[in-house]
Amino acid sequence: MPEDNSVIDFQSVNKYFYLQHQKTLKELVDAAFRRRKTLERVHALKNVSFLVKKGETVGVIGNNGAGKSTLLTMIAGVSSPTSGKVDVKGRISPLIELGAGFHPELTGRENIYLNGVILGIKEGEIKNNIGNIIDFSELQLRFIDMPVKHYSSGMYMRLAFSVAVFTNPDILLVDEILAVGDVAFQHKCLNRMAEFKKQGVTIIFVSHSLATVENFCSRVIYLKQGVVAYDGEVQGGISLYKSDVHEI
Amino acid sequence: MTIIKYWSLLKHLTSREIKARYKQSFLGFFWIVLNPFCQMLIMSFVFSHLLRISEIGVPYPIFIYAGLLPWIFFQNSLSSAMSNLVENASLIKKVYFPREILILSTLLAKMFDFFLSSTVFILLMIFFQVKITQYWPLFIIIFAIQFLFTYGLGLLLALGNLFYRDVQYLFNLVLTVWFYLTPVLYATEFFPERYRWIFKFNPMSVFINAYREVILSQGQINWGSLGIGLLLAVVVYLISYTIFKKMEGTFADVV
């Protein structure tokens, strides 16, 4: 990498993927008869290059389908580029979809461990932090040893988020997660993220809420149909995005 | 080694699967044991009238059970491996960890079932007063080879099913045919000598014969035949693993 303090480095990254319209043989045969497309090639990211330094808070904005989520999956390492190079340094913690790794039959406590190791936390670390995790989730103690299928969706979400914020990450990936939960808890999450920011954690923040991006981020990347249309200070990016939206 | 690095993840994913199942139903672990046991009872009732079982030399229920348990492990492992990646779609899209850990954890959970239902097998051997020889620990070696073979095949099928869901239906059909081509209900000796070579190229047949040799006979393993089994297992594993790792970077895009 060119500089020592860069943590994410995208070098002319292109990402193609195939939209598979048919998942079963029946659909495939059907489509062949009707001469429909069976595979659609999508150019999701077009020659994307950027560099994120340690401690930066970058907001990624753009319309649906502009490639924001694809960008996140590539930073997270779950999806590889078709061409170009992606370099990411440090421990990544995605604030994942509400309890993606949760199992409804397991108790809250068991799910904390399960989700923790999925996110790459050591078992000992979870053990040391379990009190803090439960405190942060604001779940009553009588619920924590109950299967999570009895939880309300709010409780579910709070538990999932609490595990994620205790992962001690170098890079935090946030995808629209704050859109859910009650106002008080959202506020708490934002505070926690501000703490991360102070500790020098790099945050990549994908959001449709321009106000949150404006308050929170120090830099904006605006994606437009897979192309980086803007990369720089926050105000400029947001106003460009707004003017694009108004044109439509 | 990936497995050592991701050991605690593997452990928790495996125990998730085991725990979740026994919590779901009242009888829990009992079902795991009861299911193969009932299958064995029905099969031995039906087929004892059809086959020349007097030639086998051990009580027919014992003979069937020794083949049925490894077969059920094979079948259940592949069925759950096939649906595994699809079921864990939300994880695959968000968090990176080597995806083979998911498949491996399913197999380990099924291995737990295998050993649990094997306890009934031991009770049955005592009941029928079949001599438990000093050779039986050798079955661990056979199981290890079978595990590798199943794991390799599981990786490939899980991958295939991610792209086309028909793979699981198609393969369930294959499994049914495969079952009858494997000497679970019968012994290969029932066939004329000139046809027996077919069984040499069916790894499941090799494994099941080997299990019976160490547990029911006097430990005379056909090492040559087991060697072919091992070779096939290694080849299947290496090919599947290579393809699996090559495609891993696209899982999040297609799932």
Side-chain angles (χ1 to χ4, degrees), chain A residues 24-51:
Chain A
T24 68
L25 213 58
K26 180 175 168 283
E27 287 167 358
L28 189 70
V29 169
D30 200 45
F33 271 115
R34 290 162 202 253
R35 294 175 186 284
R36 281 213 205 105
K37 262 192 232 174
T38 53
L39 282 178
E40 196 180 329
R41 198 167 188 230
V42 179
H43 198 173
L45 290 178
K46 297 168 190 160
N47 203 20
V48 169
S49 299
F50 63 88
L51 202 91

PDB file of all heavy atoms in Angstrom, chain A residues 24-51:
ATOM      1  N   THR A  24     -34.571 -22.509 -10.332  1.00  0.00           N
ATOM      2  CA  THR A  24     -34.927 -23.922 -10.456  1.00  0.00           C
ATOM      3  C   THR A  24     -34.956 -24.313 -11.924  1.00  0.00           C
ATOM      4  O   THR A  24     -35.055 -23.463 -12.808  1.00  0.00           O
ATOM      5  CB  THR A  24     -36.309 -24.231  -9.842  1.00  0.00           C
ATOM      6  OG1 THR A  24     -37.302 -23.607 -10.643  1.00  0.00           O
ATOM      7  CG2 THR A  24     -36.411 -23.736  -8.424  1.00  0.00           C
ATOM      8  N   LEU A  25     -34.884 -25.608 -12.148  1.00  0.00           N
ATOM      9  CA  LEU A  25     -34.867 -26.133 -13.503  1.00  0.00           C
ATOM     10  C   LEU A  25     -36.156 -25.786 -14.245  1.00  0.00           C
ATOM     11  O   LEU A  25     -36.148 -25.455 -15.422  1.00  0.00           O
ATOM     12  CB  LEU A  25     -34.700 -27.653 -13.432  1.00  0.00           C
ATOM     13  CG  LEU A  25     -33.924 -28.307 -14.556  1.00  0.00           C
ATOM     14  CD1 LEU A  25     -32.534 -27.723 -14.637  1.00  0.00           C
ATOM     15  CD2 LEU A  25     -33.827 -29.808 -14.299  1.00  0.00           C
ATOM     16  N   LYS A  26     -37.267 -25.828 -13.508  1.00  0.00           N
ATOM     17  CA  LYS A  26     -38.560 -25.537 -14.101  1.00  0.00           C
ATOM     18  C   LYS A  26     -38.580 -24.112 -14.669  1.00  0.00           C
ATOM     19  O   LYS A  26     -38.966 -23.899 -15.810  1.00  0.00           O
ATOM     20  CB  LYS A  26     -39.652 -25.684 -13.040  1.00  0.00           C
ATOM     21  CG  LYS A  26     -41.048 -25.409 -13.528  1.00  0.00           C
ATOM     22  CD  LYS A  26     -42.049 -25.698 -12.413  1.00  0.00           C
ATOM     23  CE  LYS A  26     -43.423 -25.181 -12.743  1.00  0.00           C
ATOM     24  NZ  LYS A  26     -43.540 -23.726 -12.576  1.00  0.00           N
ATOM     25  N   GLU A  27     -38.102 -23.182 -13.868  1.00  0.00           N
ATOM     26  CA  GLU A  27     -38.052 -21.791 -14.313  1.00  0.00           C
ATOM     27  C   GLU A  27     -37.125 -21.623 -15.511  1.00  0.00           C
ATOM     28  O   GLU A  27     -37.401 -20.854 -16.426  1.00  0.00           O
ATOM     29  CB  GLU A  27     -37.570 -20.892 -13.171  1.00  0.00           C
ATOM     30  CG  GLU A  27     -38.603 -20.691 -12.089  1.00  0.00           C
ATOM     31  CD  GLU A  27     -38.013 -20.068 -10.837  1.00  0.00           C
ATOM     32  OE1 GLU A  27     -36.787 -19.834 -10.809  1.00  0.00           O
ATOM     33  OE2 GLU A  27     -38.769 -19.846  -9.901  1.00  0.00           O
ATOM     34  N   LEU A  28     -36.029 -22.395 -15.466  1.00  0.00           N
ATOM     35  CA  LEU A  28     -35.045 -22.290 -16.536  1.00  0.00           C
ATOM     36  C   LEU A  28     -35.630 -22.788 -17.857  1.00  0.00           C
ATOM     37  O   LEU A  28     -35.496 -22.139 -18.893  1.00  0.00           O
ATOM     38  CB  LEU A  28     -33.803 -23.100 -16.161  1.00  0.00           C
ATOM     39  CG  LEU A  28     -32.594 -22.925 -17.068  1.00  0.00           C
ATOM     40  CD1 LEU A  28     -32.015 -21.535 -16.877  1.00  0.00           C
ATOM     41  CD2 LEU A  28     -31.530 -23.969 -16.755  1.00  0.00           C
ATOM     42  N   VAL A  29     -36.298 -23.914 -17.827  1.00  0.00           N
ATOM     43  CA  VAL A  29     -36.917 -24.492 -19.022  1.00  0.00           C
ATOM     44  C   VAL A  29     -37.985 -23.541 -19.547  1.00  0.00           C
ATOM     45  O   VAL A  29     -38.058 -23.240 -20.738  1.00  0.00           O
ATOM     46  CB  VAL A  29     -37.531 -25.883 -18.695  1.00  0.00           C
ATOM     47  CG1 VAL A  29     -38.401 -26.365 -19.850  1.00  0.00           C
ATOM     48  CG2 VAL A  29     -36.426 -26.876 -18.401  1.00  0.00           C
ATOM     49  N   ASP A  30     -38.757 -23.034 -18.606  1.00  0.00           N
ATOM     50  CA  ASP A  30     -39.808 -22.084 -18.946  1.00  0.00           C
ATOM     51  C   ASP A  30     -39.237 -20.866 -19.674  1.00  0.00           C
ATOM     52  O   ASP A  30     -39.730 -20.455 -20.720  1.00  0.00           O
ATOM     53  CB  ASP A  30     -40.494 -21.656 -17.643  1.00  0.00           C
ATOM     54  CG  ASP A  30     -41.866 -21.092 -17.914  1.00  0.00           C
ATOM     55  OD1 ASP A  30     -42.600 -21.714 -18.706  1.00  0.00           O
ATOM     56  OD2 ASP A  30     -42.189 -20.037 -17.347  1.00  0.00           O
ATOM     57  N   ALA A  31     -38.166 -20.335 -19.126  1.00  0.00           N
ATOM     58  CA  ALA A  31     -37.550 -19.147 -19.707  1.00  0.00           C
ATOM     59  C   ALA A  31     -36.955 -19.445 -21.085  1.00  0.00           C
ATOM     60  O   ALA A  31     -37.016 -18.621 -21.984  1.00  0.00           O
ATOM     61  CB  ALA A  31     -36.468 -18.615 -18.772  1.00  0.00           C
ATOM     62  N   ALA A  32     -36.400 -20.656 -21.219  1.00  0.00           N
ATOM     63  CA  ALA A  32     -35.810 -21.027 -22.502  1.00  0.00           C
ATOM     64  C   ALA A  32     -36.881 -21.087 -23.590  1.00  0.00           C
ATOM     65  O   ALA A  32     -36.664 -20.647 -24.710  1.00  0.00           O
ATOM     66  CB  ALA A  32     -35.100 -22.373 -22.376  1.00  0.00           C
ATOM     67  N   PHE A  33     -38.048 -21.604 -23.219  1.00  0.00           N
ATOM     68  CA  PHE A  33     -39.151 -21.666 -24.172  1.00  0.00           C
ATOM     69  C   PHE A  33     -39.636 -20.288 -24.585  1.00  0.00           C
ATOM     70  O   PHE A  33     -39.975 -20.039 -25.726  1.00  0.00           O
ATOM     71  CB  PHE A  33     -40.313 -22.471 -23.575  1.00  0.00           C
ATOM     72  CG  PHE A  33     -40.204 -23.933 -23.868  1.00  0.00           C
ATOM     73  CD1 PHE A  33     -40.012 -24.855 -22.852  1.00  0.00           C
ATOM     74  CD2 PHE A  33     -40.285 -24.392 -25.184  1.00  0.00           C
ATOM     75  CE1 PHE A  33     -39.891 -26.198 -23.123  1.00  0.00           C
ATOM     76  CE2 PHE A  33     -40.172 -25.736 -25.467  1.00  0.00           C
ATOM     77  CZ  PHE A  33     -39.969 -26.654 -24.437  1.00  0.00           C
ATOM     78  N   ARG A  34     -39.685 -19.420 -23.625  1.00  0.00           N
ATOM     79  CA  ARG A  34     -40.177 -18.073 -23.924  1.00  0.00           C
ATOM     80  C   ARG A  34     -39.076 -17.148 -24.437  1.00  0.00           C
ATOM     81  O   ARG A  34     -39.282 -15.960 -24.596  1.00  0.00           O
ATOM     82  CB  ARG A  34     -40.798 -17.464 -22.666  1.00  0.00           C
ATOM     83  CG  ARG A  34     -42.103 -18.122 -22.285  1.00  0.00           C
ATOM     84  CD  ARG A  34     -42.412 -17.790 -20.854  1.00  0.00           C
ATOM     85  NE  ARG A  34     -43.340 -18.779 -20.305  1.00  0.00           N
ATOM     86  CZ  ARG A  34     -44.616 -18.533 -20.061  1.00  0.00           C
ATOM     87  NH1 ARG A  34     -45.119 -17.340 -20.274  1.00  0.00           N
ATOM     88  NH2 ARG A  34     -45.391 -19.459 -19.573  1.00  0.00           N
ATOM     89  N   ARG A  35     -37.877 -17.729 -24.567  1.00  0.00           N
ATOM     90  CA  ARG A  35     -36.714 -16.966 -25.030  1.00  0.00           C
ATOM     91  C   ARG A  35     -36.460 -15.725 -24.189  1.00  0.00           C
ATOM     92  O   ARG A  35     -36.195 -14.642 -24.681  1.00  0.00           O
ATOM     93  CB  ARG A  35     -36.881 -16.566 -26.498  1.00  0.00           C
ATOM     94  CG  ARG A  35     -36.878 -17.780 -27.383  1.00  0.00           C
ATOM     95  CD  ARG A  35     -37.154 -17.418 -28.812  1.00  0.00           C
ATOM     96  NE  ARG A  35     -37.281 -18.624 -29.605  1.00  0.00           N
ATOM     97  CZ  ARG A  35     -36.254 -19.369 -30.000  1.00  0.00           C
ATOM     98  NH1 ARG A  35     -35.029 -19.024 -29.683  1.00  0.00           N
ATOM     99  NH2 ARG A  35     -36.448 -20.459 -30.703  1.00  0.00           N
ATOM    100  N   ARG A  36     -36.556 -15.934 -22.890  1.00  0.00           N
ATOM    101  CA  ARG A  36     -36.203 -14.844 -21.980  1.00  0.00           C
ATOM    102  C   ARG A  36     -34.737 -14.977 -21.622  1.00  0.00           C
ATOM    103  O   ARG A  36     -34.138 -16.035 -21.759  1.00  0.00           O
ATOM    104  CB  ARG A  36     -37.032 -14.936 -20.689  1.00  0.00           C
ATOM    105  CG  ARG A  36     -38.416 -14.417 -20.864  1.00  0.00           C
ATOM    106  CD  ARG A  36     -38.887 -13.784 -19.572  1.00  0.00           C
ATOM    107  NE  ARG A  36     -40.329 -13.805 -19.516  1.00  0.00           N
ATOM    108  CZ  ARG A  36     -41.021 -14.644 -18.752  1.00  0.00           C
ATOM    109  NH1 ARG A  36     -40.397 -15.492 -17.968  1.00  0.00           N
ATOM    110  NH2 ARG A  36     -42.315 -14.611 -18.754  1.00  0.00           N
ATOM    111  N   LYS A  37     -34.217 -13.896 -21.121  1.00  0.00           N
ATOM    112  CA  LYS A  37     -32.840 -13.936 -20.646  1.00  0.00           C
ATOM    113  C   LYS A  37     -32.741 -14.846 -19.437  1.00  0.00           C
ATOM    114  O   LYS A  37     -33.565 -14.771 -18.526  1.00  0.00           O
ATOM    115  CB  LYS A  37     -32.419 -12.534 -20.216  1.00  0.00           C
ATOM    116  CG  LYS A  37     -31.624 -11.790 -21.261  1.00  0.00           C
ATOM    117  CD  LYS A  37     -31.024 -10.584 -20.611  1.00  0.00           C
ATOM    118  CE  LYS A  37     -31.355  -9.333 -21.395  1.00  0.00           C
ATOM    119  NZ  LYS A  37     -30.907  -8.127 -20.733  1.00  0.00           N
ATOM    120  N   THR A  38     -31.734 -15.708 -19.405  1.00  0.00           N
ATOM    121  CA  THR A  38     -31.575 -16.555 -18.229  1.00  0.00           C
ATOM    122  C   THR A  38     -30.556 -15.947 -17.266  1.00  0.00           C
ATOM    123  O   THR A  38     -30.655 -16.082 -16.074  1.00  0.00           O
ATOM    124  CB  THR A  38     -31.120 -17.971 -18.613  1.00  0.00           C
ATOM    125  OG1 THR A  38     -29.962 -17.862 -19.422  1.00  0.00           O
ATOM    126  CG2 THR A  38     -32.205 -18.696 -19.365  1.00  0.00           C
ATOM    127  N   LEU A  39     -29.597 -15.267 -17.838  1.00  0.00           N
ATOM    128  CA  LEU A  39     -28.609 -14.618 -16.989  1.00  0.00           C
ATOM    129  C   LEU A  39     -28.484 -13.175 -17.435  1.00  0.00           C
ATOM    130  O   LEU A  39     -28.478 -12.880 -18.612  1.00  0.00           O
ATOM    131  CB  LEU A  39     -27.244 -15.280 -17.141  1.00  0.00           C
ATOM    132  CG  LEU A  39     -26.992 -16.603 -16.436  1.00  0.00           C
ATOM    133  CD1 LEU A  39     -25.604 -17.089 -16.777  1.00  0.00           C
ATOM    134  CD2 LEU A  39     -27.129 -16.439 -14.936  1.00  0.00           C
ATOM    135  N   GLU A  40     -28.390 -12.295 -16.464  1.00  0.00           N
ATOM    136  CA  GLU A  40     -28.216 -10.906 -16.837  1.00  0.00           C
ATOM    137  C   GLU A  40     -26.924 -10.424 -16.188  1.00  0.00           C
ATOM    138  O   GLU A  40     -26.739 -10.533 -14.985  1.00  0.00           O
ATOM    139  CB  GLU A  40     -29.413 -10.107 -16.330  1.00  0.00           C
ATOM    140  CG  GLU A  40     -29.532  -8.764 -16.972  1.00  0.00           C
ATOM    141  CD  GLU A  40     -30.738  -8.002 -16.436  1.00  0.00           C
ATOM    142  OE1 GLU A  40     -31.738  -8.646 -16.063  1.00  0.00           O
ATOM    143  OE2 GLU A  40     -30.633  -6.772 -16.369  1.00  0.00           O
ATOM    144  N   ARG A  41     -26.032  -9.914 -17.007  1.00  0.00           N
ATOM    145  CA  ARG A  41     -24.760  -9.465 -16.478  1.00  0.00           C
ATOM    146  C   ARG A  41     -24.906  -8.034 -15.989  1.00  0.00           C
ATOM    147  O   ARG A  41     -25.346  -7.154 -16.740  1.00  0.00           O
ATOM    148  CB  ARG A  41     -23.708  -9.541 -17.580  1.00  0.00           C
ATOM    149  CG  ARG A  41     -22.306  -9.529 -17.079  1.00  0.00           C
ATOM    150  CD  ARG A  41     -21.383  -9.930 -18.212  1.00  0.00           C
ATOM    151  NE  ARG A  41     -20.034 -10.100 -17.708  1.00  0.00           N
ATOM    152  CZ  ARG A  41     -18.971  -9.529 -18.279  1.00  0.00           C
ATOM    153  NH1 ARG A  41     -19.104  -8.780 -19.346  1.00  0.00           N
ATOM    154  NH2 ARG A  41     -17.776  -9.736 -17.775  1.00  0.00           N
ATOM    155  N   VAL A  42     -24.542  -7.821 -14.738  1.00  0.00           N
ATOM    156  CA  VAL A  42     -24.670  -6.479 -14.175  1.00  0.00           C
ATOM    157  C   VAL A  42     -23.280  -5.943 -13.859  1.00  0.00           C
ATOM    158  O   VAL A  42     -22.463  -6.632 -13.258  1.00  0.00           O
ATOM    159  CB  VAL A  42     -25.499  -6.531 -12.869  1.00  0.00           C
ATOM    160  CG1 VAL A  42     -25.620  -5.137 -12.277  1.00  0.00           C
ATOM    161  CG2 VAL A  42     -26.870  -7.126 -13.129  1.00  0.00           C
ATOM    162  N   HIS A  43     -23.015  -4.749 -14.313  1.00  0.00           N
ATOM    163  CA  HIS A  43     -21.744  -4.099 -13.999  1.00  0.00           C
ATOM    164  C   HIS A  43     -21.976  -3.239 -12.763  1.00  0.00           C
ATOM    165  O   HIS A  43     -22.374  -2.085 -12.866  1.00  0.00           O
ATOM    166  CB  HIS A  43     -21.307  -3.250 -15.189  1.00  0.00           C
ATOM    167  CG  HIS A  43     -19.864  -2.899 -15.160  1.00  0.00           C
ATOM    168  ND1 HIS A  43     -19.238  -2.265 -16.196  1.00  0.00           N
ATOM    169  CD2 HIS A  43     -18.901  -3.100 -14.229  1.00  0.00           C
ATOM    170  CE1 HIS A  43     -17.957  -2.082 -15.898  1.00  0.00           C
ATOM    171  NE2 HIS A  43     -17.734  -2.579 -14.709  1.00  0.00           N
ATOM    172  N   ALA A  44     -21.755  -3.816 -11.590  1.00  0.00           N
ATOM    173  CA  ALA A  44     -22.177  -3.164 -10.349  1.00  0.00           C
ATOM    174  C   ALA A  44     -21.232  -2.052  -9.905  1.00  0.00           C
ATOM    175  O   ALA A  44     -21.668  -1.016  -9.414  1.00  0.00           O
ATOM    176  CB  ALA A  44     -22.321  -4.197  -9.238  1.00  0.00           C
ATOM    177  N   LEU A  45     -19.938  -2.270 -10.090  1.00  0.00           N
ATOM    178  CA  LEU A  45     -18.980  -1.217  -9.764  1.00  0.00           C
ATOM    179  C   LEU A  45     -18.076  -0.995 -10.962  1.00  0.00           C
ATOM    180  O   LEU A  45     -17.568  -1.952 -11.544  1.00  0.00           O
ATOM    181  CB  LEU A  45     -18.134  -1.601  -8.544  1.00  0.00           C
ATOM    182  CG  LEU A  45     -18.834  -1.635  -7.183  1.00  0.00           C
ATOM    183  CD1 LEU A  45     -17.860  -2.076  -6.097  1.00  0.00           C
ATOM    184  CD2 LEU A  45     -19.430  -0.279  -6.817  1.00  0.00           C
ATOM    185  N   LYS A  46     -17.932   0.279 -11.342  1.00  0.00           N
ATOM    186  CA  LYS A  46     -17.176   0.576 -12.554  1.00  0.00           C
ATOM    187  C   LYS A  46     -15.913   1.353 -12.213  1.00  0.00           C
ATOM    188  O   LYS A  46     -15.981   2.519 -11.832  1.00  0.00           O
ATOM    189  CB  LYS A  46     -18.041   1.385 -13.526  1.00  0.00           C
ATOM    190  CG  LYS A  46     -19.267   0.599 -14.006  1.00  0.00           C
ATOM    191  CD  LYS A  46     -20.252   1.494 -14.730  1.00  0.00           C
ATOM    192  CE  LYS A  46     -21.545   0.745 -14.972  1.00  0.00           C
ATOM    193  NZ  LYS A  46     -22.671   1.652 -15.219  1.00  0.00           N
ATOM    194  N   ASN A  47     -14.798   0.677 -12.330  1.00  0.00           N
ATOM    195  CA  ASN A  47     -13.502   1.312 -12.166  1.00  0.00           C
ATOM    196  C   ASN A  47     -13.426   2.182 -10.908  1.00  0.00           C
ATOM    197  O   ASN A  47     -13.081   3.360 -10.979  1.00  0.00           O
ATOM    198  CB  ASN A  47     -13.204   2.147 -13.421  1.00  0.00           C
ATOM    199  CG  ASN A  47     -11.714   2.366 -13.575  1.00  0.00           C
ATOM    200  OD1 ASN A  47     -10.911   1.622 -13.003  1.00  0.00           O
ATOM    201  ND2 ASN A  47     -11.350   3.393 -14.319  1.00  0.00           N
ATOM    202  N   VAL A  48     -13.758   1.592  -9.793  1.00  0.00           N
ATOM    203  CA  VAL A  48     -13.817   2.348  -8.545  1.00  0.00           C
ATOM    204  C   VAL A  48     -12.459   2.347  -7.852  1.00  0.00           C
ATOM    205  O   VAL A  48     -11.870   1.298  -7.633  1.00  0.00           O
ATOM    206  CB  VAL A  48     -14.886   1.743  -7.601  1.00  0.00           C
ATOM    207  CG1 VAL A  48     -14.774   2.329  -6.206  1.00  0.00           C
ATOM    208  CG2 VAL A  48     -16.274   1.968  -8.179  1.00  0.00           C
ATOM    209  N   SER A  49     -11.952   3.545  -7.571  1.00  0.00           N
ATOM    210  CA  SER A  49     -10.701   3.656  -6.827  1.00  0.00           C
ATOM    211  C   SER A  49     -10.881   4.665  -5.703  1.00  0.00           C
ATOM    212  O   SER A  49     -11.427   5.738  -5.921  1.00  0.00           O
ATOM    213  CB  SER A  49      -9.565   4.165  -7.719  1.00  0.00           C
ATOM    214  OG  SER A  49      -9.334   3.275  -8.771  1.00  0.00           O
ATOM    215  N   PHE A  50     -10.464   4.301  -4.538  1.00  0.00           N
ATOM    216  CA  PHE A  50     -10.387   5.273  -3.449  1.00  0.00           C
ATOM    217  C   PHE A  50      -9.534   4.707  -2.336  1.00  0.00           C
ATOM    218  O   PHE A  50      -9.189   3.525  -2.334  1.00  0.00           O
ATOM    219  CB  PHE A  50     -11.771   5.670  -2.934  1.00  0.00           C
ATOM    220  CG  PHE A  50     -12.569   4.542  -2.325  1.00  0.00           C
ATOM    221  CD1 PHE A  50     -12.433   4.231  -0.981  1.00  0.00           C
ATOM    222  CD2 PHE A  50     -13.445   3.788  -3.115  1.00  0.00           C
ATOM    223  CE1 PHE A  50     -13.160   3.192  -0.422  1.00  0.00           C
ATOM    224  CE2 PHE A  50     -14.163   2.744  -2.561  1.00  0.00           C
ATOM    225  CZ  PHE A  50     -14.021   2.439  -1.218  1.00  0.00           C
ATOM    226  N   LEU A  51      -9.176   5.580  -1.408  1.00  0.00           N
ATOM    227  CA  LEU A  51      -8.293   5.203  -0.322  1.00  0.00           C
ATOM    228  C   LEU A  51      -8.899   5.761   0.958  1.00  0.00           C
ATOM    229  O   LEU A  51      -9.270   6.925   1.007  1.00  0.00           O
ATOM    230  CB  LEU A  51      -6.939   5.864  -0.576  1.00  0.00           C
ATOM    231  CG  LEU A  51      -5.733   5.249   0.103  1.00  0.00           C
ATOM    232  CD1 LEU A  51      -5.122   4.225  -0.822  1.00  0.00           C
ATOM    233  CD2 LEU A  51      -4.724   6.327   0.408  1.00  0.00           C
TER     234      LEU A  51
END
